[in-house]
Amino acid sequence: MKLPSLHHLLAETARVARRFPLTLLCALVLCGVGIYIQRLDFRQQQDLEWLFPALSAAGLGLTLTLSVDLAAERYRWPLGLRVLVQAGAVGLLGLWYGLCPAEPTLVWGLRLFLLLVGLHLLVAVVPYLPELRRQADTPGFWRYNETLFLRILTGGLYSGVLFVGCALALLAIDNLFEVHLDERWYPHLFTVLATVFNTWFFLAGVPQDFAALETAAPYPRGLKVFTQFVLLPLVVLYLAILYAYLARIIGQWTLPKGWVSILILALAVAGIFALLLIHPIRDNAENTWIRTFARWFYRALFPLLGLLAVAIGTRIHQYGITEERYLVLVLAAWLALIATYFLVRQGRGIIWIPASLAAVAFLAAGGPWGAFAVAERSQLAQLRELATQHKLLQAGKLDGASQRVPNLPAPVRQRLTSSFEFFADRDNLAAVQPLFAASLALPDSLRRPARRQKSRPSEARLEWAQRRWTQERLFDVSGISRTSYSEVDGKQELTAEFHSKPPQAQPVGPGRYWLGNLRQESYRFGPGDTLAAFTVPQGQFRLHTAGRGGLLRLEQRAGSGWQLRLQASISSLADSLARRHGANPSQGVVLPAGGFALRASAQDLTLHLFLSDVTRRQHQDTVRYGFEGNALLEFTPSNLTQKPPAK
């Protein structure tokens, strides 16, 4: 076999760049942003709000721009129309970038998944959309998708082998020649191969001569063997299991388990995929069994789809529609239509499978008919119905509902918990604001401060406090306790959770207070980074860090300001340990507990700091410190109740 020359490789590279310029640009953006992220620490990533929008827009752009270029090429669009449609695609990506949140939420993550599925299926059908109006299949559609499928597998194999080989080469250079390579070279290498190389390799194999795909070609024997002796027997096995389960629940007259929905969908996908793989040889004289299997497979789906409908319908009746239940219900309806269609058409018209599924994905991703809007309306209706049925409303509001109906049945509290958690998990308390008189908006104390004050309080604690407040707000205002059911040994176990926020300063004796769970991350720091704030009979105090986490300061409120009472040097301890054990040891150093205790005293009080972990990070001339531990604050007997005068 003649190896390709360098000239040929360069020519192919240039040809792909001319044919799919926008798709390659999206791959380059993915690569560049991915490498940029890998060179940032966690705090720096949190500060950049454009990372997720850029990554997701570039990911969507890969298949969107590829579909546009394939359509322009296949249908011979004039240059002006092609440029106009490409500009429209770029505009849609810009719209996504502008609307997308800084961090992937449940709703936006699922919406991104649906759009990615729809766009990948669009690539599979866009050159053959006229096939939707034809009575018979042409060989070109199947061979086109066979080429794409095999190219994806080959590209993944090549990229994987290259990564392993190059990673081992870097490791050999590092170990044999004592060249200390940056460990980030490995994720950088993976990113380049997974984005730029893999995309370029795949695009080089995308068919360009569509007329040649219509000519007869031998069917891959390995594909037939895999489908006939591996995939189809597995489909038959799962059919037998599901029918045995169906017979069992009919015999026992019990409701099916929700988990059966996943198995039925997996069976349907595997069966349809197997039939698509052997579609070109279904009419051969020696393969009449394929047509027989296809007819009985589609017929066998209907009882199982009925079982799926009962399973998901039971959950919807109990808890309303969520996005996941919406998608299961829509997929069940789609499978029923596809099975009916292929029974009527006798297995012809396979382009309808990816085309219709792409339409379902796009429709479910947004709009008043989409998964998110339907789920929100369903959960809101459930909440209103429960509140009205059990007389929880007063003047149309749920505030203090537990006082009006103190003995709500556990199943009702569980359903209310499900609805409350639905809106809290999606950070959408505004949707249920009409049912509450108290404000469900974040209080000013938990709102994100201006960037110049971003370090007080720290972003991590602020985000945690926001999530905690959102999760508990509906329960706090209504007074309804959080309740849930879980399945244990086939029986329902009732679980009620009760929460209490202990004071940050726990009294452990006269003038002695225990301060637990003090934590300062070495990659999150800022001036005035408060770790604990508490009020005791001796006054109002706070513990916070300074000097990039190197100093722990105890301050007391004095008038409108704060007065420094004492401080402990974390940096002195960490620096001395680094001099003794090295600034970059190969693994964490375990020390005796006694070596991790610090003591700082003032005239009338003493702070004992018991550390469990100390971290020292040095980048060039910048050193940052982190620690975890507990503290004991002691006041002298003469000042146990005396407060300092206000200044």
Side-chain angles (χ1 to χ4, degrees), residues 297-316:
F297 172 76
Y298 289 123
R299 290 171 182 169
L301 276 183
F302 288 103
L304 297 178
L305 292 176
L307 177 64
L308 187 153
V310 172
I312 195 64
T314 302
R315 272 70 188 172
I316 290 175

Side-chain angles (χ1 to χ4, degrees), residues 27 46 56 98 114 172 244 300 304 313 361 370-371 425 442 455 466 484 538 549 632:
Q46 294 295 104
S56 56
L114 290 171
L304 297 178
D425 290 342
L442 282 172
S455 59
Q466 288 174 342
S484 63
Q538 291 77 22
L632 177 66

Side-chain angles (χ1 to χ4, degrees), residues 43 130 250 270 274 366 421 506 525 529 542 546 568 628:
R43 174 62 184 272
I250 291 176
E421 289 178 342
Q506 292 273 22
F525 62 89
D529 196 359
R542 70 177 185 182
E628 294 183 31

Side-chain angles (χ1 to χ4, degrees), residues 315-329:
R315 272 70 188 172
I316 290 175
H317 175 72
Q318 291 177 333
Y319 310 117
I321 299 176
T322 61
E323 293 87 356
E324 294 83 358
R325 294 172 193 145
Y326 173 96
L327 293 177
V328 171
L329 199 60

Side-chain angles (χ1 to χ4, degrees), residues 81-115:
L81 178 60
R82 180 170 185 165
V83 171
L84 182 63
V85 176
Q86 287 177 334
V90 173
L92 289 175
L93 296 176
L95 180 64
W96 170 274
Y97 178 86
L99 297 176
C100 189
E103 295 183 5
T105 62
L106 186 149
V107 170
W108 279 90
L110 186 54
R111 178 176 284 124
L112 176 62
F113 171 76
L114 290 171
L115 290 176

Side-chain angles (χ1 to χ4, degrees), residues 426-505:
R426 288 149 185 81
D427 197 19
N428 191 20
L429 300 188
V432 292
Q433 181 65 75
L435 291 175
F436 291 88
S439 174
L440 301 181
L442 282 172
D444 292 340
S445 60
L446 291 180
R447 293 186 184 276
R448 191 178 300 275
R451 184 167 295 274
R452 63 179 179 274
Q453 301 171 343
K454 199 169 186 177
S455 59
R456 187 166 55 187
S458 72
E459 280 289 289
R461 285 190 299 279
L462 177 62
E463 291 173 4
W464 181 90
Q466 288 174 342
R467 288 195 299 269
R468 181 69 177 173
W469 189 92
T470 302
Q471 289 288 337
E472 298 300 326
R473 182 58 175 168
L474 298 181
F475 296 97
D476 293 341
V477 175
S478 65
I480 297 170
S481 60
R482 185 188 298 271
T483 311
S484 63
Y485 283 113
S486 59
E487 290 289 331
V488 179
D489 296 330
K491 299 179 181 180
Q492 286 189 326
E493 179 185 73
L494 182 62
T495 303
E497 297 181 7
F498 305 95
H499 303 278
S500 175
K501 185 177 181 181
Q504 289 189 294

Side-chain angles (χ1 to χ4, degrees), residues 528-541:
D529 196 359
T530 302
L531 303 184
F534 54 93
T535 301
V536 294
Q538 291 77 22
Q540 185 178 355
F541 294 86

